[in-house]
Amino acid sequence: MSEKAPAVVGFCLLCIDCRDAPRLAQFWADLLGGSVEVDADSDAVVRAPGPIRLDFLQVPEVKSIKNRLHIDVAASDVEDALLAMEDGDG
């Protein structure tokens, strides 16, 4: 909570536009240890341990510029974490 915005109590959700929401959500669910819910519009949400939810929103546009968002994860073993990410489908 900040003095400027006392009604804002925290960060809970990150929305990411992408071409294949179910696939990208499954990659992150596999990595973080969560489940994926896909709706009728092919939007997908990752419910993983912790307070932050990841929503992947299906969009028709192809990415045309560099990503300006990076998701950083905590790891007990960096090498093992990198191998798990490289073995993923994302």
Side-chain angles (χ1 to χ4, degrees):
M1 179 166 70
S2 74
E3 289 181 25
K4 187 169 186 165
V8 176
V9 296
F11 181 80
C12 65
L13 174 67
L14 180 63
C15 295
I16 301 162
D17 292 347
C18 57
R19 291 287 307 248
D20 191 346
R23 180 173 167 239
L24 195 54
Q26 190 61 60
F27 168 81
W28 282 100
D30 291 345
L31 190 69
L32 298 173
S35 62
V36 175
E37 297 172 16
V38 180
D39 69 16
D41 294 326
S42 292
D43 295 332
V45 60
V46 174
R47 298 194 185 281
I52 298 174
R53 193 175 83 196
L54 297 174
D55 278 3
F56 295 90
L57 307 177
Q58 190 83 12
V59 296
E61 304 89 30
V62 176
K63 183 179 87 167
S64 60
I65 60 172
K66 179 181 176 182
N67 288 337
R68 295 184 183 250
L69 170 78
H70 302 272
I71 301 174
D72 293 339
V73 297
S76 60
D77 185 310
V78 174
E79 292 300 320
D80 283 349
L82 289 172
L83 288 173
M85 292 174 75
E86 290 170 357
D87 288 344
D89 213 16

